[in-house]
Amino acid sequence: MTTEAGDATPLTIDELAARAGVTVRTVRFYGSKGLLPPPVIGPRRVGHYGTDHVARLALIEELRQQGMTLSAIERYLKQLPDDLTPHDLAIHRAVVASWAPDAVDTVPRRELERRAGRPLAAADVERLAAMSVVVAADGDTFRVDTGLLRLGVQLLDVPLSHEVILAARKVLIEHSRAAAHELSRLFRGAVAERDAQDVKSLSAHMHPLVVQALLTTFQRSLREELSEWVTGSGTDVTGSGTDVTGSGAD
């Protein structure tokens, strides 16, 4: 994994650590263990990191937060194909994050920015609050949905209006709930005659499988919709944008 010309502006190790919300020491430690690929060495022998490093570091941190040991994380990463893109790594992280129980922490502004990996202007905090990522608490503290924070911070840089992001969130929530309701009804009917322990066991096994299936289906549907949009076989830009979110989540 290297920083190629087509990537975004290369990051120094300090910038990478800040983006991921970890310390420089942590980045170097992961690199020494082979969990992160080496940087590209540029002028003055300065290491440069790319979006693939950011995505892999985010995945490592997600696995670590799930309680996995370093050796287990190493085994997990070795099973992944070598040519995964940052987008592919983000999908893996989303699946891992979905296994975690809901977690909300109350943190001061400085800690919120440390976890976000960047300074947050007042407008940024307002946007995160509108996406239900953070909620203002007492004083200069915030209740933070740790599972949504990374996604919310990434959305701050998406070149879409605040209204479009909120509308997309509404569509995704509505369709996700509809899918969850139908799947729950289907599974409930399939295990209606079984005892409670069997139902609990089935739920534990089905959760990651269903999440992976939904993510894979959505990813393929979105790719197809975007392909039709780019090649001009869809409707106008506004219509295609709406269809992308609706069809992908349905």
Side-chain angles (χ1 to χ4, degrees), residues 99 205-214:
W99 300 341
H205 283 85
M206 289 303 297
H207 183 196
L209 296 178
V210 169
V211 169
Q212 178 68 73
L214 287 173

Side-chain angles (χ1 to χ4, degrees), residues 173-189 210 214:
I173 290 175
E174 289 178 352
H175 286 276
S176 297
R177 285 177 177 169
H181 175 74
E182 290 300 316
L183 288 171
S184 177
R185 183 176 61 83
L186 178 64
F187 296 149
R188 192 183 305 123
V210 169
L214 287 173

